[in-house]
Each structure stands twice: as C-alpha cells, then as structure tokens.
C-alpha cells in the first residue's frame, strides 16, 4: 500500500464518507446549511452571495453558494420529471422518480421543493405520491438518469456505444474481489471526439485522475520518494489508489522502437497486476510502491501491428472499444459546431458526475460491493467463454506456418469483470444477457485492426453465405492477393473453415465460421 501523505488523507476521507447508511451518505453530499427554505433564495440573491464570496475571499461561502445553485437546478429538474409523469401516467417513470427522490428529499419536503421549483404556492397538506416514508432507495441505475440522452445528443449514438464500456470499467473499482487493474482503451481515427468524451470525467477528483499523456516514468520518478512526510513527492502511482486514471492521449504508450514499446508494456504489466512498481535510482536508491489498485481508461488512434505484437509478447491486459464509423455524406456540420466545444463537455460532465457520485455514495466507494451472483449461469457463462476464445484466436500470431494462440483465461476474466461493471451501472449485482452484449462490442474491437473486418463478417449471424476472396476484397477494401491471405489467416487461426463455393467460372475457395466460434445465441450483434 502506498505510504504517501496524500494517500493517508484520501483514506481518511473515504472512511468518513463510508460511515452511516447509503441514504445518509447521499444526504451528506448536500450543503450543510441547506435548510427547508433553500428554494426561497432568488437567483439575484445567489449571485449576490457569490459576488460577496469572491470579494471577501471566502472559499467556503463560494462553495456553498455554488452547491445551492446546483441543488436548485436538480430540484427543478425533478419537478419537471414529476410533472411529466403525472401527465403521462407511466408506471416505469413513476418508479424511477420515486427512487430518484428517495436518494435526495422525501415526502412533504420533496413535494414542497417541487412546487417551489415550479413557482407554485406551497401547500404542506399535499404530499408527492412519488415518495414513501418506509421505502429504501434502489441502487442507482443508468435508466434513472439523463446520462444516455445527454451523451447521445452531444456525441451521437457512437459516443454512447463507447461511453458504456468506459463507465463499466470504472465501476469495477467498486468490486471487492479484484486486485489488479482493469483497462479500457478507446480506439478511433483522429478528430472523432475521443478526447472530448474523456473530458466528461473531469471534476470527479475523488474518483478520477486525469492526465494529458503518461509514460511508465510518470508512475515513479527517478527522484521520487515514498516517505510519509515528503511534500515534494510528484509520483503518479500513489495518487491512483482506488481511482481511475483517464489519459486523453495514450498513444505515447505505443510510440518508439519495438524494444521501447515492449519495455513500456512490461513495466505497465507489473503495475496493472497490482504488484506495485520500484525503480533503482542513483540519488534515492530503491523507490516505489506496493499494492496499488487503480483502473485505466484512455484514447488512442488505431494501433499498429507492431504495438499488437509487443503487447502480445508480455501478455495482453488491455481491452479496446472501437469508435464506430460515422456517416459524413449528409448535412453533419451543424451538429458538430452547435454549442461550441464547451457545451458537449460541460453537459456530459454534469451528467457523468451526477450518476457516478450517486453510484459511489450509494455503495460506499471503492471495494465496497460484494458480488452476490456466486455461480455464473450457463446462459451467461457460455457466451462469455465463446467471446474470450474469439479474442484469443483473433490475436494469435501466424509466422512461417507456426501459429501461437494465447490461453483465453485472462481475457475471459477481463470480459467477465466488464460484464459485472455493466451490471453495477444498471443497478444489479447479478449478470443478465444484456451485460454480455456490452462485452460483444469490446471483444470484436480487442484484436488487430487488419483482422477485425473479416472476423466480424464471419461471425455476423445475419450472413449465411461463405466469404469468398471477392467478398473479402470488397469488405476490407484490399487487393485480391491480400484478401486471399486474410482468408488463409482465418483458417490457420482456427476461426474459419475452408469450403468450395460454386460460381460461374467453376469452384473457388471460400471460408465459413468454425462452429466453435459462432456468434452466441440471444446476443445482439453490434454495429460498427
């Protein structure tokens, strides 16, 4: 465990925040002086208080004013949701609003705040039916929040397909039976919005540590010290305990010669396995840290074959999710420039912060969740096993006729934990098929780019015909000789079987998916 002063302080804060019931923890997140007449503060009064805080230099007063304004916005939003529910009569929405209100205010107080936020007179005899005195709040779930709507509006459905695996990866920090790091990398072409999406995780410093880029030297510097009283300690590793490292440009981890990339990932492998990291320095001797658990999310442009090879040499510990291709044939510019660059980040940040704060407060923070689904049901276990084998074989190496394929154990564990994280952000501590579906997109991304197209075409359950060299040539936009090489590669890796396809000019060699790698039944096939 890290011995730095900042870590001790964070542990103390975490201990304080974990005491009491979940509902008490949620309530403590509100300003201490937020009395029942909070909504009577006018906008002008809030502005006056903020200006006064700036003039007097009172940081505490400024923070309180900020929290009041944020809480006003939250109450107003709940009021609008409740009003909508009353008019539509949706039972599902009614249940969601009940849970949202139980995580904040309840009974008469919530009803009064709703009416104030709508500008109506307060009648203490009218109690909102969306609350109940003896009901306990359910775990926070994405369905109860506006996060999906906000991300889809600002980053498109493509952004949401990437955001879900990132949220699920981060949520695995809540599980108490994991010791090593879980890592998810967003891979996409430059300019699609990867870095902007990662910026939505800002302002949650208790859960995230954001960096523009990172190298192994960042974790423990040559002049680093693990002294409890060393205020000059700039090492990154002790700051990551119980948090997720979010790196806007992770391309630096794959840059350099083959020897450099392999050395980088050997060091990262030790760090991500939870073994800590030590360096021998000329001035400070042996410096480093033990037993640091953190998660890692980042963004990168498409990885080179060399990067895949070097990572494979030290053992794959990285999951990827590919940013789906977007259509730029129509009128797309307005959707990009409206709101400027700040709006997508700020709206996304507010939505992410609201959900993750509620999730962490409800469960009690890092390593607070004991998984209740002791045995993996067959309808979930079998698809995860099959996806793990697909990834293992698709990442295999073929050289001079020799084929080397990794064991699927590690990737199976990573996919299983990703599914559990996906369940947590949907308010569950047991797995459903929808959690495996989230793993499908990741599995079909976590393989070299040159193989993705043909693997996806082979596994697509909506395709019945064998793949000929002509088909592969068109799908991958490659030459005919390259298409034939791709088919031979699929056969060598065991993913495909050779068949004879009859055409106008006679028979030609084609490939079909090996029965052991067919797409699992009941799992939706992702669009890319």
């Amino acid at each position: 465990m890290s011995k730095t002063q900042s870590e001790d302080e964070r542990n103390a804060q975490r201990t304080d925040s974990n005491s009491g019931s979940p509902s008490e923890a949620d309530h403590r997140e509100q300003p201490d002086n937020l009395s029942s007449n909070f909504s009577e503060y006018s906008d002008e009064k809030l502005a006056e208080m903020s200006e006064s805080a700036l003039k007097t230099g009172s940081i505490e007063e400024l923070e309180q004013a900020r929290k009041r304004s944020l809480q006003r916005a939250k109450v107003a939003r709940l009021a609008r949701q409740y009003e909508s529910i009353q008019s539509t009569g949706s039972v599902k929405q009614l249940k969601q609003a009940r849970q949202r209100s139980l995580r904040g205010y309840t009974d008469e107080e919530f009803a009064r705040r709703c009416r104030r936020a709508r500008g109506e007179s307060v009648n203490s005899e009218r109690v909102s039916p969306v609350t109940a005195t003896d009901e306990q709040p359910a775990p926070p779930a994405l369905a109860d929040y506006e996060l999906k709507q906000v991300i889809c509006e600002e980053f498109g459905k493509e952004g949401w397909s990437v955001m879900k695996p990132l949220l699920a990866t981060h949520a695995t920090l809540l599980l108490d039976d994991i010791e090593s790091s879980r890592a998810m990398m967003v891979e996409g072409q430059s300019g699609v919005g990867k870095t902007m999406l990662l910026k939505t995780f800002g302002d949650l410093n208790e859960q995230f540590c954001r960096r523009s880029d990172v190298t192994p030297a960042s974790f423990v510097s040559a002049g680093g010290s693990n002294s409890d009283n060393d205020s000059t300690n700039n090492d990154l590793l002790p700051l990551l305990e119980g948090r997720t490292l979010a790196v806007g440009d992770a391309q630096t981890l794959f840059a350099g010669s083959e020897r450099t990339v392999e050395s980088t990932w050997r060091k990262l492998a030790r760090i991500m396995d939870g073994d800590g990291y030590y360096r021998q320095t000329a001035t400070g001797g042996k410096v480093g840290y033990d037993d640091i658990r953190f998660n890692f999310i980042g963004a990168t442009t498409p990885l080179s074959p060399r990067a895949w090879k070097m990572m494979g040499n030290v053992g794959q510990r990285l999951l990827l999710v590919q940013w789906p291709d977007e259509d730029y044939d129509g009128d797309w510019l307005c959707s990009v420039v409206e709101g400027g660059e700040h709006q997508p980040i700020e709206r996304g940040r507010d939505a992410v912060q609201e959900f993750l704060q509620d999730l962490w407060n409800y469960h009690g923070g890092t390593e607070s969740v004991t998984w209740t689904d002791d045995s993996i049901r067959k309808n979930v276990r079998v698809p995860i096993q099959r996806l793990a084998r697909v990834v293992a074989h698709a990442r295999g190496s073929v050289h001079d006729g020799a084929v080397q394929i990794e064991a699927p154990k590690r990737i199976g564990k990573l996919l299983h934990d990703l599914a559990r994280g996906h369940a947590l952000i949907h308010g569950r501590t047991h797995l459903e098929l929808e959690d495996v579906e989230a793993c499908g997109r990741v599995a079909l991304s976590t393989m070299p780019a040159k193989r993705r197209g043909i693997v996806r075409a082979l596994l697509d359950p909506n395709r019945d015909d064998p793949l000929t060299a002509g088909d592969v040539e068109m799908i991958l936009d490659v030459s005919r000789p390259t298409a034939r090489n791709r088919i031979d590669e699929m056969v060598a890796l065991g993913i495909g079987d050779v068949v004879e396809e009859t055409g106008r000019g006679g028979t030609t060699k084609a490939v079909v998916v090996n029965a052991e790698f067919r797409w699992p039944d009941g799992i939706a096939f992702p669009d890319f």
Side-chain angles (χ1 to χ4, degrees):
M1 205 58 164
S2 162
K3 300 297 183 181
T4 64
Q5 184 178 1
S6 59
E7 171 57 19
D8 292 338
E9 291 172 353
R10 188 161 58 252
N11 283 339
Q13 292 171 355
R14 191 177 294 130
T15 301
D16 292 341
S17 65
N18 289 349
S19 60
S21 65
S23 59
E24 291 173 344
D26 286 343
H27 191 70
R28 281 197 301 272
E29 288 296 313
Q30 312 304 332
D32 294 337
N33 62 345
L34 194 60
S35 59
S36 60
N37 64 350
F38 133 76
S39 293
E40 295 173 1
Y41 286 110
S42 66
D43 292 338
E44 292 77 10
K45 181 62 177 176
L46 286 172
E48 180 183 337
M49 294 167 67
S50 297
E51 186 176 351
S52 172
L54 284 171
K55 290 180 178 179
T56 61
S58 170
I59 296 178
E60 180 179 1
E61 186 179 357
L62 182 62
E63 181 66 13
Q64 289 175 352
R66 186 185 71 84
K67 288 184 177 180
R68 289 192 191 100
S69 62
L70 289 174
Q71 188 60 28
R72 171 192 288 275
K74 183 175 182 180
V75 171
R77 185 172 65 255
L78 286 171
R80 289 193 299 271
Q81 290 176 350
Y82 172 52
E83 194 171 40
S84 172
I85 291 165
Q86 283 185 314
S87 61
T88 62
S90 167
V91 175
K92 180 179 179 181
Q93 284 184 302
L94 189 65
K95 291 179 179 179
Q96 291 174 352
R98 177 183 292 116
Q99 292 303 327
R100 296 295 300 279
S101 64
L102 285 171
R103 283 192 284 273
Y105 300 100
T106 59
D107 301 331
E108 294 89 348
E109 180 60 25
F110 178 72
R112 284 196 294 270
R113 290 173 186 274
C114 281
R115 294 181 63 78
R116 280 198 190 98
R118 290 198 299 266
E120 302 174 1
S121 61
V122 177
N123 181 354
S124 60
E125 295 179 359
R126 288 191 62 180
V127 179
S128 170
V130 303
T131 61
T133 306
D134 58 349
E135 187 172 359
Q136 294 298 315
L142 281 176
D144 298 339
Y145 292 78
E146 299 175 349
L147 180 53
K148 178 180 179 180
Q149 177 184 342
V150 169
I151 297 299
C152 286
E153 289 175 354
E154 300 297 342
F155 296 92
K157 63 180 182 180
E158 297 85 6
W160 179 245
S161 70
V162 169
M163 175 61 86
K164 277 205 303 182
L166 295 177
L167 291 170
T169 299
H170 177 59
T172 61
L173 283 174
L174 294 170
L175 297 168
D176 65 358
D177 58 357
I178 298 177
E179 293 185 357
S180 55
S181 299
R182 296 295 177 262
M184 180 68 65
M185 193 75 69
V186 181
E187 186 190 76
Q189 298 296 334
S190 178
V192 296
K194 307 182 299 296
T195 302
M196 287 183 66
L197 187 69
L198 283 175
K199 287 182 179 179
T200 62
F201 293 100
D203 289 349
L204 269 175
N205 295 331
E206 69 277 11
Q207 296 186 35
F208 291 90
C209 180
R210 290 186 60 238
R211 291 292 186 272
S212 298
D213 54 30
V214 69
T215 65
S218 306
F219 291 94
V220 179
S221 62
S225 169
N226 55 3
S227 170
D228 291 346
N229 301 315
D230 186 359
S231 59
T232 65
N233 187 351
N234 295 318
D235 294 344
L236 175 61
L237 192 54
L239 301 178
L240 299 179
E241 177 68 30
R243 303 163 78 189
T244 291
L245 174 62
V247 180
D249 181 11
Q251 186 64 39
T252 54
L253 298 175
F254 308 97
S257 64
E258 289 191 1
R259 182 176 179 180
T260 299
V261 175
E262 183 169 348
S263 174
T264 294
W265 281 96
R266 287 194 184 281
K267 294 171 183 176
L268 288 176
R270 294 199 299 272
I271 296 171
M272 293 173 65
D273 284 345
D275 297 332
Y277 183 55
Y278 282 88
R279 296 182 67 185
Q280 191 70 35
T281 67
T283 57
K286 186 178 180 181
V287 294
Y289 306 87
D290 287 319
D291 305 330
I292 304 292
R293 180 189 170 190
F294 68 97
N295 281 354
F296 175 59
I297 59 175
T300 181
T301 51
L303 301 182
S304 66
R306 181 183 62 184
W308 282 103
K309 177 183 176 182
M310 294 304 102
M311 287 194 297
N313 288 345
V314 299
Q316 298 278 8
R317 289 163 175 81
L318 189 66
L319 294 178
L320 281 88
V321 56
Q322 183 186 1
W323 192 287
D325 292 335
E326 299 184 47
D327 183 9
Y328 297 108
D329 292 335
D331 188 5
W332 52 266
L333 185 59
C334 289
S335 63
V336 174
V337 300
E338 286 179 356
E341 293 185 355
H342 294 297
Q343 177 179 300
I345 297 172
E346 290 174 355
R347 286 194 69 207
R349 185 179 294 164
D350 289 343
V352 168
Q353 182 170 342
E354 180 187 16
F355 173 66
L356 290 180
Q357 280 184 336
D358 282 356
L359 187 69
W360 247 242
N361 290 334
Y362 178 89
H363 289 292
T366 304
E367 298 185 0
S368 60
V369 175
T370 299
W371 194 251
T372 58
D373 199 7
D374 294 331
S375 59
I376 310 176
R377 288 173 296 166
K378 185 176 181 180
N379 70 324
V380 172
R381 182 180 70 250
V382 172
I384 292 179
Q385 290 176 168
R386 186 167 297 183
L387 290 176
R389 293 196 65 213
V390 168
V391 176
H393 282 251
R395 294 197 304 204
S397 64
V398 181
H399 185 66
D400 293 335
V403 179
Q404 185 174 357
I405 296 172
E406 64 183 294
K409 288 184 177 180
R410 178 183 285 127
I411 185 63
K413 174 63 176 170
L414 296 180
L415 291 175
H416 176 249
D417 287 340
L418 179 67
R420 293 198 295 169
H422 186 270
L424 285 174
I425 62 178
H426 286 83
R428 291 179 277 103
T429 54
H430 66 275
L431 294 180
E432 301 285 356
L433 276 179
E434 65 181 271
D435 304 313
V436 184
E437 287 183 10
C439 296
R441 176 176 296 278
V442 172
L444 293 178
S445 300
T446 309
M447 60 185 67
K450 69 175 186 178
R451 293 177 181 168
R452 289 174 187 161
I454 188 170
V455 169
R456 293 168 185 171
L458 279 173
L459 269 63
D460 189 346
N462 299 315
R463 183 184 184 90
D464 297 323
D465 298 331
L467 284 174
T468 64
D471 296 327
V472 176
E473 181 181 0
M474 182 177 61
I475 292 172
L476 302 185
D477 191 21
V478 295
S479 66
R480 183 60 63 92
T482 300
R484 293 194 182 99
N485 289 338
R486 294 285 187 270
I487 290 177
D488 293 340
E489 203 171 43
M490 289 298 101
V491 174
L493 292 169
I495 299 175
D497 291 329
V498 174
V499 295
E500 295 291 333
E501 184 74 359
T502 302
R504 291 182 179 179
T507 61
T508 183
K509 185 172 70 173
V511 62
V512 296
V513 65
N514 185 314
E516 296 181 7
F517 295 95
R518 284 180 182 150
W519 192 252
D521 293 335
I523 305 298
F525 193 79
D527 294 324
F528 285 95

